[in-house]
Amino acid sequence: MKAVKLNVPYSSQFLDVEDHFWNIRSCGGTCIKMCLDYYHNLDSTVDNSQSILHIMNDAFNNGGYDANHGFVHDFAVKYFLQHNLDSHRMEGLSEFETLKASLDNGNPIIVSVVKRTLEQEKFHLILVVGYEEDDDGRNSRVIYHEPESTDPNRGAYRVCDMDTFLKSWRGKAIFVNSVD
């Protein structure tokens, strides 16, 4: 079995954001904070992250949050670049291999997923922090941080099977890595 599980600090948009307007809307800001905290722990030249609320207010004031569509992925890329990290986004992905390569290099990935509640669908960002795969590749699992959890023990290092992940993933990803 092969397993990658990055030591990414966990944050929760509900536990760490007291502003009621933003706590239900800040999955993107929470994922950014987790990434910045992770890279700061690896390299002190990477800016330590601001609060999630600060990140979301910055997004709102600089075109990074759209009331009709939510968090703007290009804002995340720009934000990471401003904080001494390399970043880019991709769309149209359908295979886990691109994400796996990033994880193998020690880099978490922000991904967009569909969340279904009764008859509603909404878009949501999570942070992929690892994977597990059997030698035959048939029982692969994705490890992720769920920023929407109200319990850090249940939000950090959640695991789902690959089929469930691929059905929910929108094929969009924001890649972040240290500047070499």
Side-chain angles (χ1 to χ4, degrees):
M1 171 181 276
K2 180 174 182 180
V4 171
K5 184 176 171 184
L6 304 178
N7 188 22
V8 177
Y10 178 75
S11 294
S12 164
Q13 68 191 72
F14 288 110
L15 298 175
D16 300 325
V17 180
E18 293 181 11
D19 183 298
H20 295 295
F21 176 81
W22 281 121
N23 70 359
I24 62 172
R25 296 171 175 84
S26 58
C27 57
T30 305
C31 288
I32 287 175
K33 177 170 179 46
M34 290 187 280
C35 284
L36 287 174
D37 289 348
Y38 170 73
Y39 286 107
H40 179 75
N41 288 342
L42 296 176
D43 178 356
S44 62
T45 65
V46 173
D47 293 341
N48 202 4
S49 72
Q50 301 287 333
S51 70
I52 298 166
L53 182 58
H54 181 273
I55 294 168
M56 292 308 299
N57 282 326
D58 191 8
F60 182 76
N61 292 326
N62 293 292
Y65 183 82
D66 180 295
N68 294 318
H69 300 102
F71 199 81
V72 177
H73 298 191
D74 285 334
F75 173 81
V77 170
K78 180 180 169 186
Y79 196 87
F80 287 126
L81 294 172
Q82 292 171 344
H83 287 81
N84 301 321
L85 292 166
D86 190 22
S87 183
H88 67 280
R89 60 187 289 264
M90 295 178 75
E91 292 186 21
L93 299 170
S94 60
E95 301 288 328
F96 191 74
E97 293 304 311
T98 305
L99 303 184
K100 183 178 162 185
S102 185
L103 293 163
D104 286 342
N105 287 320
N107 301 307
I109 308 109
I110 300 171
V111 299
S112 180
V113 296
V114 175
K115 288 194 82 163
R116 294 170 182 87
T117 305
L118 300 175
E119 75 284 354
Q120 299 174 343
E121 283 190 354
K122 69 176 194 167
F123 301 143
H124 179 55
L125 295 174
I126 63 172
L127 186 64
V128 177
V129 297
Y131 67 93
E132 302 169 340
E133 65 182 5
D134 293 340
D135 293 334
D136 61 12
R138 291 188 295 174
N139 293 311
S140 296
R141 290 163 295 284
V142 176
I143 304 169
Y144 66 100
H145 284 349
E146 170 55 84
E148 219 173 45
S149 181
T150 57
D151 178 347
N153 295 321
R154 291 182 40 201
Y157 299 108
R158 293 181 70 140
V159 179
C160 74
D161 65 87
M162 187 63 68
D163 288 339
T164 300
F165 175 79
L166 292 174
K167 286 176 188 171
S168 297
W169 183 32
R170 297 178 57 224
K172 297 180 178 195
I174 301 166
F175 294 88
V176 186
N177 57 290
S178 297
V179 176
D180 295 330

